[in-house]
Amino acid sequence: MPANLTQIFKVIEDTITKPPIPHEPYKQSLKAWAMYCLRDKGFKVVYAQNADFAIETKGIEKLYFKVSNSPDNLDNSINWIVWDSTAKTATLIPQNID
C-alpha cells in the first residue's frame, strides 16, 4: 500500500474512532453518519454506484466504501466501515490490495 494511501486510511480510521458526533442508530443511518464524519474532516465524499459512497483524493483513484452493522461476510475487494453496536464503536476494514 502506498505511503500516502496508508496516511489517508489512518486519518479515516481516526475520524471514525474519534468522531465529531457520536453515532446514534436511532437518529441517523451508519452511512449518513460515516459520510458526515468524513466530510467534517475535509474529505470529498461523493456518490458511488457500486458502493455506499466514495472518497475522492488528489493523486489517488476514488476510494470506495460500504457500511455494515456486522463484520461477517464482508467482500474484501472494497473498504468497509463496520459498526459494533455492543461496544458502540466503528472500525475501518481496508480492502485487500494485492
Side-chain angles (χ1 to χ4, degrees):
M1 189 180 304
N4 55 349
L5 193 54
T6 302
Q7 289 173 319
I8 289 169
F9 279 126
K10 175 75 174 119
V11 172
I12 292 169
E13 186 172 40
D14 288 348
T15 301
I16 64 169
T17 56
K18 300 177 201 107
I21 61 169
H23 176 46
E24 299 171 298
Y26 56 90
K27 283 187 176 181
Q28 82 275 68
S29 71
L30 180 58
K31 176 183 170 182
W33 172 82
M35 290 171 61
Y36 172 84
C37 291
L38 293 169
R39 283 188 179 120
D40 184 70
K41 192 66 173 181
F43 286 100
K44 184 176 180 182
V45 180
V46 297
Y47 169 81
Q49 185 170 341
N50 295 323
D52 288 325
F53 60 89
I55 292 175
E56 288 183 346
T57 58
K58 292 180 181 163
I60 300 175
E61 61 187 62
K62 286 182 185 177
L63 300 174
Y64 293 91
F65 290 84
K66 286 188 178 183
V67 298
S68 177
N69 289 309
S70 169
D72 302 327
N73 301 319
L74 302 179
D75 175 1
N76 65 4
S77 68
I78 195 162
N79 302 296
W80 287 89
I81 294 175
V82 179
W83 178 252
D84 180 340
S85 59
T86 306
K88 299 198 179 338
T89 58
T91 305
L92 171 66
I93 301 175
Q95 71 187 63
N96 267 352
I97 301 174
D98 293 326

